[in-house]
Amino acid sequence: MNVSDPIADMLTRIRNASRARHLEVAVPASRVKRQIARILVEEGFISGFSEEREGPEQVLRLTLKYVDGKAPVVSGLKRISKPGLRAYAPGDSYNRIHWP
């Protein structure tokens, strides 16, 4: 399937899976998505991820995290910079920026 915005697709899959209380979600793999998954693990939003081969394609399998086994840790997931409207910030200002 062709997706015009693969990052937004990944975030939507995570958001939908957490709302449906799934333990895992599969996302087509790429280097950028692998790094996003790594950051989500470091920041404590997901428990972990693994890379698997499903047929001819690589898939990232993300393990979702829940508070007390009930409420999803990921809530209100929103993409700030979009293909139609980019948001740029200096690299050293990561901790100072407050996104809307």
Side-chain angles (χ1 to χ4, degrees):
M1 175 172 92
N2 263 344
V3 178
S4 63
D5 189 359
I7 306 301
D9 177 64
M10 176 185 180
L11 298 177
T12 299
R13 287 177 189 229
I14 294 170
R15 185 174 38 249
N16 290 343
S18 66
R19 285 183 182 164
R21 306 271 193 265
H22 290 240
L23 297 177
E24 293 182 340
V25 61
V27 178
S30 73
R31 280 183 276 165
V32 172
K33 292 178 191 176
R34 211 173 292 120
Q35 292 303 314
I36 291 172
R38 183 185 58 78
I39 291 169
L40 288 174
V41 170
E42 287 176 3
E43 296 295 326
F45 290 107
I46 62 174
S47 296
F49 70 97
S50 63
E51 193 164 350
E52 302 172 358
R53 183 169 288 286
E54 282 188 8
E57 59 189 41
Q58 291 284 91
V59 173
L60 287 176
R61 191 160 306 277
L62 309 174
T63 306
L64 301 177
K65 199 173 184 182
Y66 294 92
V67 177
D68 298 329
K70 296 177 184 177
V73 171
V74 175
S75 65
L77 192 58
K78 182 179 174 186
R79 172 101 186 244
I80 301 295
S81 183
K82 302 172 186 171
L85 180 62
R86 291 291 181 198
Y88 296 98
D92 63 343
S93 65
Y94 173 74
N95 292 324
R96 292 184 287 131
I97 294 178
H98 300 285
W99 299 101

Coordinates of all heavy atoms in Angstrom, one line a residue:
M1 N 0.8 -1.2 0.0 CA 0.0 0.0 0.0 C 0.9 1.2 0.0 O 1.8 1.4 0.8 CB -0.9 0.0 1.3 CG -1.7 1.2 1.4 SD -2.9 1.1 2.7 CE -2.0 1.8 4.1
N2 N 0.6 2.2 -0.9 CA 1.3 3.4 -0.9 C 0.7 4.4 0.1 O -0.5 4.7 0.1 CB 1.2 4.1 -2.3 CG 2.4 3.8 -3.1 OD1 3.4 3.3 -2.6 ND2 2.3 4.0 -4.4
V3 N 1.6 5.0 0.9 CA 1.2 5.9 1.9 C 2.0 7.2 1.7 O 3.2 7.2 1.5 CB 1.6 5.4 3.4 CG1 1.2 6.4 4.4 CG2 0.9 4.1 3.6
S4 N 1.2 8.3 1.6 CA 1.9 9.6 1.3 C 2.7 10.2 2.5 O 3.6 10.9 2.3 CB 0.9 10.6 0.8 OG -0.1 10.9 1.9
D5 N 2.3 9.8 3.7 CA 3.0 10.3 4.9 C 3.2 9.1 5.8 O 2.4 8.8 6.7 CB 2.2 11.4 5.6 CG 2.9 12.1 6.7 OD1 4.1 11.7 7.0 OD2 2.3 13.0 7.3
P6 N 4.3 8.4 5.7 CA 4.5 7.2 6.5 C 4.7 7.4 8.0 O 4.3 6.5 8.8 CB 5.8 6.6 5.9 CG 6.4 7.6 5.0 CD 5.4 8.6 4.7
I7 N 5.2 8.6 8.4 CA 5.3 8.9 9.8 C 3.9 9.0 10.4 O 3.7 8.5 11.5 CB 6.2 10.1 10.0 CG1 7.5 10.0 9.3 CG2 6.3 10.4 11.5 CD1 8.4 8.9 9.8
A8 N 3.1 9.8 9.8 CA 1.7 10.0 10.3 C 1.0 8.6 10.3 O 0.2 8.3 11.2 CB 0.9 10.9 9.4
D9 N 1.2 7.7 9.3 CA 0.6 6.4 9.3 C 1.1 5.6 10.5 O 0.3 5.0 11.2 CB 1.0 5.7 8.0 CG 0.5 4.3 8.0 OD1 -0.8 4.1 8.0 OD2 1.3 3.3 8.0
M10 N 2.4 5.7 10.9 CA 2.9 5.0 12.1 C 2.3 5.5 13.3 O 1.8 4.7 14.2 CB 4.4 5.2 12.1 CG 5.1 4.6 13.4 SD 6.8 5.0 13.4 CE 7.3 4.2 14.9
L11 N 2.2 6.8 13.5 CA 1.6 7.4 14.7 C 0.1 7.1 14.8 O -0.4 6.8 15.9 CB 1.7 8.9 14.7 CG 3.2 9.4 14.7 CD1 3.2 10.9 14.6 CD2 3.9 8.9 15.9
T12 N -0.6 7.0 13.6 CA -2.0 6.6 13.6 C -2.2 5.2 14.1 O -3.1 4.8 14.8 CB -2.6 6.9 12.3 OG1 -2.5 8.3 12.0 CG2 -4.1 6.5 12.2
R13 N -1.3 4.3 13.6 CA -1.4 2.9 14.0 C -1.2 2.7 15.5 O -1.9 2.0 16.1 CB -0.4 2.1 13.2 CG -0.7 1.9 11.7 CD 0.4 1.1 11.0 NE 0.2 1.1 9.6 CZ 0.3 0.0 8.9 NH1 0.6 -1.2 9.5 NH2 0.1 0.0 7.6
I14 N -0.2 3.5 16.0 CA 0.0 3.4 17.5 C -1.2 3.9 18.2 O -1.6 3.3 19.2 CB 1.3 4.2 17.8 CG1 2.5 3.5 17.2 CG2 1.5 4.3 19.3 CD1 3.8 4.4 17.3
R15 N -1.7 5.1 17.8 CA -2.8 5.7 18.5 C -4.1 4.7 18.4 O -4.7 4.5 19.5 CB -3.2 7.0 17.8 CG -4.3 7.8 18.5 CD -4.5 9.2 17.9 NE -4.3 9.3 16.4 CZ -3.3 9.9 15.8 NH1 -2.3 10.5 16.5 NH2 -3.3 9.9 14.5
N16 N -4.4 4.2 17.3 CA -5.5 3.3 17.1 C -5.3 2.0 18.0 O -6.3 1.5 18.6 CB -5.8 2.9 15.7 CG -6.3 4.1 14.9 OD1 -6.7 5.1 15.5 ND2 -6.2 4.0 13.6
A17 N -4.1 1.4 17.9 CA -3.9 0.2 18.7 C -4.0 0.4 20.2 O -4.5 -0.5 20.9 CB -2.5 -0.4 18.3
S18 N -3.5 1.5 20.6 CA -3.5 1.8 22.1 C -5.0 2.0 22.5 O -5.4 1.6 23.6 CB -2.7 3.0 22.5 OG -3.1 4.2 21.9
R19 N -5.8 2.7 21.7 CA -7.2 2.9 22.0 C -8.0 1.6 22.0 O -8.9 1.4 22.8 CB -7.9 3.8 21.0 CG -7.5 5.3 21.3 CD -8.2 6.2 20.3 NE -7.8 7.6 20.5 CZ -8.0 8.5 19.7 NH1 -8.6 8.3 18.5 NH2 -7.6 9.7 19.9
A20 N -7.6 0.6 21.2 CA -8.2 -0.7 21.1 C -7.6 -1.7 22.1 O -8.0 -2.8 22.2 CB -8.1 -1.2 19.7
R21 N -6.7 -1.2 23.0 CA -6.0 -2.0 24.0 C -5.2 -3.2 23.5 O -5.2 -4.2 24.1 CB -7.0 -2.5 25.0 CG -7.9 -1.4 25.7 CD -7.2 -0.8 26.9 NE -8.1 0.0 27.7 CZ -8.3 1.3 27.5 NH1 -7.5 1.9 26.7 NH2 -9.1 2.0 28.3
H22 N -4.6 -3.0 22.3 CA -3.8 -4.1 21.7 C -2.4 -4.1 22.5 O -2.0 -3.0 22.9 CB -3.5 -3.9 20.2 CG -4.8 -4.1 19.4 ND1 -4.8 -5.0 18.4 CD2 -6.0 -3.5 19.4 CE1 -6.0 -5.0 17.9 NE2 -6.7 -4.1 18.5
L23 N -1.8 -5.2 22.6 CA -0.5 -5.3 23.2 C 0.6 -5.0 22.3 O 1.6 -4.4 22.7 CB -0.3 -6.7 23.8 CG -1.3 -7.2 24.9 CD1 -1.0 -8.6 25.3 CD2 -1.2 -6.3 26.1
E24 N 0.4 -5.2 21.0 CA 1.4 -5.0 20.0 C 0.8 -4.3 18.7 O -0.4 -4.5 18.5 CB 2.1 -6.2 19.5 CG 3.0 -6.9 20.6 CD 3.7 -8.1 20.1 OE1 3.2 -8.7 19.0 OE2 4.7 -8.5 20.7
V25 N 1.6 -3.6 18.0 CA 1.2 -3.1 16.7 C 2.3 -3.3 15.7 O 3.5 -3.1 16.1 CB 0.8 -1.6 16.8 CG1 1.9 -0.7 17.3 CG2 0.2 -1.1 15.5
A26 N 2.0 -3.7 14.5 CA 3.0 -3.9 13.4 C 3.0 -2.7 12.5 O 1.9 -2.2 12.1 CB 2.7 -5.1 12.7
V27 N 4.2 -2.2 12.2 CA 4.4 -1.0 11.3 C 5.4 -1.4 10.3 O 6.4 -2.0 10.6 CB 4.9 0.2 12.1 CG1 5.1 1.4 11.3 CG2 3.9 0.5 13.2
P28 N 5.2 -1.1 9.0 CA 6.2 -1.3 8.0 C 7.5 -0.6 8.4 O 7.5 0.6 8.8 CB 5.7 -0.7 6.7 CG 4.2 -0.7 6.9 CD 4.0 -0.5 8.4
A29 N 8.7 -1.3 8.3 CA 9.9 -0.7 8.8 C 10.6 0.2 7.9 O 10.5 0.1 6.6 CB 10.9 -1.9 9.1
S30 N 11.3 1.2 8.4 CA 12.2 2.1 7.7 C 13.2 2.6 8.7 O 13.0 2.4 10.0 CB 11.5 3.2 7.0 OG 11.1 4.2 8.0
R31 N 14.3 3.2 8.3 CA 15.3 3.7 9.2 C 14.7 4.8 10.1 O 15.0 4.9 11.3 CB 16.5 4.3 8.5 CG 17.4 3.2 8.0 CD 18.6 3.7 7.3 NE 18.2 3.9 5.9 CZ 18.9 4.7 5.1 NH1 20.0 5.3 5.4 NH2 18.5 4.8 3.8
V32 N 13.9 5.7 9.5 CA 13.3 6.8 10.3 C 12.4 6.3 11.4 O 12.4 6.7 12.5 CB 12.6 7.8 9.4 CG1 11.8 8.8 10.2 CG2 13.6 8.5 8.4
K33 N 11.5 5.3 11.0 CA 10.6 4.7 11.9 C 11.3 4.0 13.0 O 10.9 4.0 14.2 CB 9.6 3.8 11.2 CG 8.7 4.5 10.3 CD 7.8 3.5 9.6 CE 7.0 4.2 8.5 NZ 6.2 3.2 7.7
R34 N 12.4 3.3 12.7 CA 13.2 2.6 13.7 C 13.7 3.6 14.7 O 13.7 3.3 15.9 CB 14.4 1.9 13.0 CG 14.8 0.7 13.7 CD 15.9 -0.1 12.8 NE 15.3 -0.6 11.6 CZ 15.7 -0.3 10.4 NH1 16.7 0.5 10.2 NH2 15.1 -0.8 9.3
Q35 N 14.2 4.8 14.3 CA 14.7 5.8 15.2 C 13.6 6.4 16.1 O 13.8 6.7 17.2 CB 15.5 6.9 14.4 CG 16.8 6.4 13.8 CD 17.7 5.8 14.9 OE1 17.9 6.4 15.9 NE2 18.3 4.6 14.5
I36 N 12.4 6.6 15.5 CA 11.3 7.1 16.2 C 10.9 6.1 17.3 O 10.6 6.5 18.4 CB 10.1 7.4 15.3 CG1 10.4 8.6 14.4 CG2 8.8 7.6 16.1 CD1 9.4 8.9 13.3
A37 N 10.9 4.8 16.9 CA 10.6 3.8 17.9 C 11.6 3.7 19.0 O 11.2 3.6 20.2 CB 10.5 2.4 17.2
R38 N 12.9 3.9 18.7 CA 13.9 4.0 19.7 C 13.7 5.1 20.7 O 13.8 5.0 21.9 CB 15.3 4.1 19.0 CG 16.5 4.1 20.0 CD 17.8 4.3 19.3 NE 17.8 5.6 18.6 CZ 18.0 6.8 19.2 NH1 18.2 6.9 20.5 NH2 18.0 7.9 18.5
I39 N 13.3 6.3 20.2 CA 13.1 7.4 21.0 C 11.8 7.2 21.9 O 11.8 7.6 23.1 CB 12.9 8.7 20.1 CG1 14.2 9.1 19.5 CG2 12.3 9.9 21.0 CD1 14.2 10.1 18.4
L40 N 10.8 6.6 21.3 CA 9.6 6.3 22.1 C 9.9 5.3 23.3 O 9.4 5.5 24.4 CB 8.5 5.7 21.2 CG 7.8 6.6 20.2 CD1 6.9 5.9 19.3 CD2 7.1 7.7 21.0
V41 N 10.8 4.4 23.0 CA 11.3 3.5 24.1 C 12.0 4.3 25.2 O 11.8 4.2 26.4 CB 12.1 2.3 23.6 CG1 12.7 1.6 24.7 CG2 11.2 1.4 22.7
E42 N 13.0 5.1 24.7 CA 13.8 5.9 25.7 C 13.0 6.8 26.5 O 13.3 7.1 27.7 CB 14.9 6.7 24.9 CG 16.0 5.9 24.3 CD 16.9 6.7 23.5 OE1 16.8 8.0 23.4 OE2 17.9 6.1 22.9
E43 N 11.9 7.4 25.9 CA 11.1 8.4 26.6 C 10.0 7.7 27.4 O 9.2 8.3 28.2 CB 10.4 9.4 25.7 CG 11.5 10.2 25.0 CD 12.2 11.2 25.9 OE1 11.6 11.6 26.9 OE2 13.4 11.4 25.7
G44 N 9.9 6.3 27.3 CA 8.9 5.6 28.1 C 7.5 5.5 27.6 O 6.6 5.1 28.4
F45 N 7.3 5.8 26.3 CA 6.0 5.7 25.8 C 5.6 4.3 25.3 O 4.4 4.0 25.3 CB 5.8 6.7 24.6 CG 5.8 8.1 25.1 CD1 6.9 8.9 24.8 CD2 4.7 8.6 25.7 CE1 6.9 10.2 25.2 CE2 4.7 9.9 26.1 CZ 5.8 10.7 25.9
I46 N 6.6 3.5 24.9 CA 6.3 2.1 24.6 C 7.3 1.2 25.3 O 8.4 1.7 25.7 CB 6.4 1.8 23.0 CG1 7.8 2.1 22.5 CG2 5.3 2.6 22.3 CD1 7.9 1.8 21.0
S47 N 7.0 -0.1 25.5 CA 7.8 -1.0 26.2 C 9.1 -1.4 25.4 O 10.1 -1.6 26.0 CB 7.1 -2.2 26.6 OG 6.0 -1.9 27.5
G48 N 8.9 -1.6 24.1 CA 10.0 -2.0 23.3 C 9.5 -2.2 21.9 O 8.4 -2.1 21.5
F49 N 10.5 -2.6 21.0 CA 10.2 -2.9 19.6 C 11.2 -4.0 19.1 O 12.3 -4.1 19.6 CB 10.2 -1.7 18.8 CG 11.5 -1.1 18.5 CD1 12.2 -1.4 17.4 CD2 12.1 -0.2 19.4 CE1 13.5 -0.8 17.1 CE2 13.4 0.3 19.2 CZ 14.0 0.0 18.1
S50 N 10.7 -4.7 18.1 CA 11.6 -5.6 17.4 C 11.4 -5.5 15.9 O 10.3 -5.1 15.5 CB 11.3 -7.1 17.9 OG 10.0 -7.4 17.6
E51 N 12.4 -6.0 15.2 CA 12.2 -5.9 13.7 C 12.1 -7.4 13.2 O 12.9 -8.2 13.6 CB 13.4 -5.2 13.1 CG 13.2 -4.9 11.7 CD 14.2 -3.9 11.2 OE1 15.0 -3.3 12.0 OE2 14.3 -3.7 9.9
E52 N 11.1 -7.6 12.4 CA 10.8 -8.9 11.9 C 10.6 -8.9 10.4 O 10.3 -7.8 9.9 CB 9.6 -9.5 12.6 CG 9.7 -9.6 14.1 CD 8.3 -10.0 14.7 OE1 7.4 -10.2 14.0 OE2 8.3 -10.1 16.0
R53 N 10.7 -10.1 9.8 CA 10.4 -10.2 8.4 C 9.1 -10.9 8.2 O 8.9 -12.0 8.7 CB 11.5 -10.9 7.7 CG 11.3 -11.0 6.2 CD 12.5 -11.5 5.5 NE 13.7 -10.6 5.4 CZ 13.8 -9.5 4.6 NH1 12.7 -9.2 3.9 NH2 14.8 -8.8 4.6
E54 N 8.1 -10.2 7.6 CA 6.8 -10.8 7.3 C 6.8 -10.9 5.7 O 6.5 -9.9 5.1 CB 5.7 -10.0 7.8 CG 5.5 -10.2 9.3 CD 4.2 -9.5 9.8 OE1 3.4 -9.0 9.0 OE2 4.0 -9.5 11.0
G55 N 7.0 -12.0 5.2 CA 7.0 -12.2 3.8 C 8.2 -11.5 3.2 O 9.3 -11.5 3.7
P56 N 8.0 -10.7 2.2 CA 9.2 -10.0 1.6 C 9.5 -8.7 2.2 O 10.5 -8.0 1.9 CB 8.7 -9.7 0.1 CG 7.2 -9.6 0.3 CD 6.8 -10.6 1.4
E57 N 8.8 -8.2 3.2 CA 9.0 -6.9 3.8 C 9.4 -7.0 5.3 O 9.1 -7.9 6.0 CB 7.8 -6.0 3.6 CG 6.6 -6.5 4.3 CD 5.3 -5.7 3.9 OE1 5.2 -5.3 2.7 OE2 4.5 -5.5 4.8
Q58 N 10.1 -5.9 5.7 CA 10.5 -5.8 7.1 C 9.4 -5.1 7.9 O 8.8 -4.2 7.4 CB 11.8 -5.0 7.3 CG 13.0 -5.6 6.8 CD 13.5 -6.7 7.7 OE1 13.2 -7.8 7.6 NE2 14.4 -6.3 8.6
V59 N 9.1 -5.5 9.1 CA 8.1 -5.0 9.9 C 8.6 -4.7 11.3 O 9.4 -5.5 11.9 CB 6.9 -6.0 10.0 CG1 5.9 -5.5 11.0 CG2 6.3 -6.2 8.7
L60 N 8.3 -3.5 11.8 CA 8.6 -3.2 13.2 C 7.4 -3.6 14.1 O 6.3 -3.2 13.8 CB 8.8 -1.7 13.4 CG 10.1 -1.1 12.9 CD1 10.1 0.4 13.1 CD2 11.3 -1.7 13.5
R61 N 7.6 -4.4 15.1 CA 6.6 -4.8 16.0 C 6.8 -4.0 17.3 O 7.7 -4.3 18.1 CB 6.6 -6.3 16.2 CG 5.4 -6.8 16.9 CD 5.2 -8.3 16.8 NE 5.1 -8.7 15.4 CZ 4.0 -8.6 14.6 NH1 2.9 -8.1 15.1 NH2 4.1 -9.1 13.4
L62 N 5.9 -3.1 17.6 CA 6.0 -2.2 18.8 C 5.2 -2.8 19.9 O 4.0 -3.1 19.7 CB 5.5 -0.8 18.5 CG 6.1 -0.1 17.2 CD1 5.4 1.2 17.0 CD2 7.6 0.1 17.4
T63 N 5.7 -2.9 21.1 CA 5.0 -3.4 22.3 C 4.5 -2.2 23.0 O 5.3 -1.3 23.5 CB 5.9 -4.2 23.2 OG1 6.5 -5.3 22.4 CG2 5.2 -4.8 24.3
L64 N 3.2 -2.0 23.1 CA 2.6 -0.9 23.7 C 2.6 -1.0 25.3 O 2.7 -2.1 25.8 CB 1.2 -0.7 23.3 CG 1.0 -0.5 21.7 CD1 -0.4 -0.4 21.4 CD2 1.8 0.7 21.2
K65 N 2.6 0.2 25.9 CA 2.7 0.3 27.4 C 1.4 0.8 27.9 O 0.8 1.8 27.3 CB 3.8 1.2 27.7 CG 4.4 1.1 29.0 CD 5.7 2.0 29.1 CE 6.4 1.8 30.4 NZ 7.5 2.7 30.4
Y66 N 0.9 0.3 29.1 CA -0.3 0.8 29.7 C -0.1 1.1 31.2 O 0.7 0.4 31.8 CB -1.4 -0.3 29.6 CG -1.8 -0.5 28.1 CD1 -1.2 -1.5 27.4 CD2 -2.8 0.3 27.6 CE1 -1.6 -1.7 26.1 CE2 -3.2 0.1 26.2 CZ -2.6 -0.9 25.5 OH -2.9 -1.1 24.2
V67 N -0.7 2.1 31.7 CA -0.6 2.5 33.1 C -1.6 1.5 33.9 O -2.8 1.5 33.6 CB -1.0 3.9 33.4 CG1 -1.0 4.3 34.8 CG2 -0.2 4.9 32.5
D68 N -1.0 0.8 34.9 CA -1.8 -0.2 35.7 C -2.5 -1.2 34.8 O -3.5 -1.7 35.2 CB -2.8 0.5 36.6 CG -2.1 1.5 37.6 OD1 -1.0 1.1 38.0 OD2 -2.7 2.5 37.9
G69 N -2.0 -1.4 33.6 CA -2.6 -2.4 32.7 C -3.9 -2.0 32.1 O -4.6 -2.7 31.5
K70 N -4.3 -0.7 32.3 CA -5.6 -0.2 31.8 C -5.5 0.9 30.8 O -5.8 0.8 29.7 CB -6.5 0.2 33.0 CG -6.8 -0.9 34.0 CD -7.6 -0.4 35.1 CE -7.8 -1.6 36.1 NZ -8.5 -1.1 37.3
A71 N -5.0 2.1 31.3 CA -5.0 3.3 30.5 C -3.7 3.3 29.7 O -2.6 3.1 30.2 CB -5.0 4.5 31.4
P72 N -3.8 3.6 28.4 CA -2.7 3.6 27.5 C -1.7 4.8 27.9 O -2.2 5.9 28.2 CB -3.2 3.8 26.1 CG -4.6 4.2 26.3 CD -5.1 3.8 27.6
V73 N -0.4 4.5 27.9 CA 0.6 5.6 28.1 C 0.5 6.6 27.0 O 0.6 7.8 27.3 CB 2.0 5.0 28.3 CG1 3.0 6.1 28.4 CG2 2.0 4.1 29.5
V74 N 0.3 6.2 25.8 CA 0.3 7.0 24.6 C -1.2 7.6 24.5 O -2.1 6.8 24.3 CB 0.6 6.3 23.3 CG1 0.4 7.2 22.1 CG2 2.0 5.8 23.4
S75 N -1.3 8.9 24.7 CA -2.6 9.6 24.5 C -2.3 10.9 23.9 O -1.3 11.6 24.3 CB -3.3 9.7 25.8 OG -2.6 10.5 26.7
G76 N -3.2 11.4 23.1 CA -3.0 12.7 22.5 C -1.9 12.8 21.6 O -1.2 13.9 21.5
L77 N -1.5 11.8 20.9 CA -0.4 11.7 19.9 C -0.8 12.6 18.7 O -1.8 12.4 18.1 CB -0.2 10.3 19.5 CG 1.1 9.9 18.7 CD1 2.3 10.3 19.6 CD2 1.1 8.5 18.5
K78 N 0.1 13.6 18.4 CA -0.2 14.5 17.3 C 1.1 14.8 16.6 O 2.2 15.0 17.2 CB -0.7 15.8 18.0 CG -1.1 16.9 17.0 CD -1.7 18.1 17.7 CE -1.9 19.2 16.8 NZ -2.3 20.4 17.5
R79 N 1.0 14.9 15.3 CA 2.1 15.2 14.4 C 2.1 16.7 14.2 O 1.2 17.3 13.8 CB 1.9 14.5 13.0 CG 2.9 14.9 12.0 CD 4.0 13.9 11.9 NE 5.0 14.4 11.0 CZ 5.3 13.8 9.8 NH1 4.7 12.8 9.4 NH2 6.3 14.3 9.1
I80 N 3.2 17.4 14.6 CA 3.4 18.8 14.5 C 3.8 19.3 13.1 O 3.1 20.0 12.4 CB 4.4 19.4 15.5 CG1 4.0 19.0 16.9 CG2 4.6 20.9 15.3 CD1 2.7 19.6 17.4
S81 N 4.9 18.7 12.6 CA 5.4 19.1 11.2 C 4.8 18.1 10.2 O 4.9 16.9 10.3 CB 6.9 19.0 11.2 OG 7.4 19.4 10.0
K82 N 4.1 18.7 9.2 CA 3.4 17.9 8.2 C 3.9 18.2 6.9 O 4.5 19.2 6.7 CB 1.9 18.2 8.3 CG 1.2 17.9 9.6 CD -0.2 18.4 9.7 CE -0.7 18.3 11.1 NZ -2.0 18.9 11.2
P83 N 3.7 17.3 5.9 CA 4.3 17.5 4.6 C 3.8 18.9 4.0 O 4.5 19.6 3.3 CB 3.8 16.4 3.7 CG 3.6 15.3 4.7 CD 3.2 15.9 6.0
G84 N 2.6 19.3 4.3 CA 2.0 20.5 3.7 C 2.3 21.7 4.5 O 2.2 22.8 4.1
L85 N 2.8 21.5 5.8 CA 3.1 22.6 6.6 C 4.2 22.2 7.6 O 4.0 21.6 8.6 CB 1.9 23.1 7.5 CG 2.1 24.2 8.4 CD1 2.4 25.5 7.7 CD2 0.8 24.4 9.2
R86 N 5.5 22.5 7.2 CA 6.6 22.1 8.0 C 6.8 23.0 9.1 O 6.6 24.2 9.0 CB 7.9 22.1 7.1 CG 7.9 21.0 6.1 CD 8.0 19.7 6.8 NE 8.0 18.6 5.8 CZ 7.8 17.3 6.1 NH1 7.5 17.0 7.3 NH2 7.8 16.4 5.2
A87 N 7.2 22.5 10.3 CA 7.6 23.2 11.5 C 9.1 22.9 11.7 O 9.5 21.8 11.9 CB 6.8 22.8 12.7
Y88 N 9.9 24.0 11.7 CA 11.3 23.8 11.9 C 11.8 24.4 13.3 O 11.2 25.4 13.8 CB 12.1 24.5 10.8 CG 11.9 23.9 9.5 CD1 10.9 24.5 8.6 CD2 12.5 22.8 9.1 CE1 10.7 23.9 7.4 CE2 12.3 22.2 7.8 CZ 11.4 22.8 7.0 OH 11.1 22.2 5.8
A89 N 12.8 23.8 13.9 CA 13.3 24.3 15.1 C 14.8 24.0 15.1 O 15.3 23.0 14.6 CB 12.7 23.6 16.3
P90 N 15.6 24.9 15.8 CA 17.0 24.6 15.9 C 17.3 23.4 16.7 O 16.5 23.1 17.6 CB 17.6 25.9 16.6 CG 16.5 26.9 16.6 CD 15.2 26.2 16.3
G91 N 18.3 22.7 16.4 CA 18.6 21.4 17.1 C 18.9 21.6 18.6 O 18.6 20.7 19.4
D92 N 19.4 22.7 19.0 CA 19.7 22.9 20.4 C 18.5 23.4 21.3 O 18.6 23.5 22.5 CB 20.9 23.9 20.6 CG 20.5 25.3 20.1 OD1 19.6 25.4 19.3 OD2 21.3 26.2 20.5
S93 N 17.4 23.6 20.6 CA 16.3 24.2 21.3 C 15.2 23.1 21.6 O 14.1 23.5 22.0 CB 15.6 25.3 20.5 OG 15.1 24.8 19.3
Y94 N 15.5 21.8 21.6 CA 14.6 20.8 21.8 C 13.8 20.9 23.1 O 12.6 20.8 23.1 CB 15.3 19.4 21.7 CG 14.4 18.3 22.0 CD1 13.4 17.8 21.2 CD2 14.5 17.6 23.3 CE1 12.6 16.8 21.5 CE2 13.7 16.6 23.6 CZ 12.7 16.1 22.7 OH 11.9 15.1 23.0
N95 N 14.5 21.2 24.2 CA 13.9 21.3 25.5 C 13.2 22.6 25.7 O 12.4 22.7 26.7 CB 14.9 21.0 26.6 CG 15.4 19.6 26.6 OD1 14.7 18.7 26.3 ND2 16.7 19.4 26.8
R96 N 13.5 23.6 24.9 CA 12.9 24.9 25.2 C 11.6 25.1 24.4 O 10.9 26.1 24.7 CB 13.9 26.0 24.8 CG 15.1 26.1 25.7 CD 16.0 27.2 25.3 NE 16.7 26.9 24.1 CZ 16.8 27.8 23.1 NH1 16.2 28.9 23.1 NH2 17.5 27.5 22.0
I97 N 11.3 24.4 23.4 CA 10.2 24.6 22.5 C 8.9 24.0 23.1 O 8.9 22.9 23.6 CB 10.4 24.0 21.1 CG1 11.5 24.8 20.4 CG2 9.1 24.1 20.3 CD1 11.9 24.2 19.1
H98 N 7.9 24.8 23.1 CA 6.6 24.4 23.6 C 5.6 24.4 22.4 O 5.2 25.4 21.9 CB 6.0 25.3 24.7 CG 6.9 25.3 25.9 ND1 7.0 24.2 26.8 CD2 7.8 26.2 26.3 CE1 7.9 24.5 27.7 NE2 8.4 25.7 27.4
W99 N 5.4 23.2 21.8 CA 4.5 23.1 20.7 C 3.1 23.3 21.0 O 2.7 23.0 22.2 CB 4.7 21.7 20.0 CG 6.1 21.4 19.6 CD1 7.0 20.7 20.2 CD2 6.7 21.9 18.4 NE1 8.2 20.7 19.5 CE2 8.0 21.4 18.4 CE3 6.3 22.7 17.4 CZ2 8.9 21.7 17.4 CZ3 7.2 23.0 16.3 CH2 8.5 22.5 16.4
P100 N 2.3 23.8 20.1 CA 0.9 24.1 20.4 C 0.1 22.9 20.7 O 0.4 21.8 20.3 CB 0.4 24.8 19.1 CG 1.4 24.7 18.1 CD 2.7 24.2 18.8

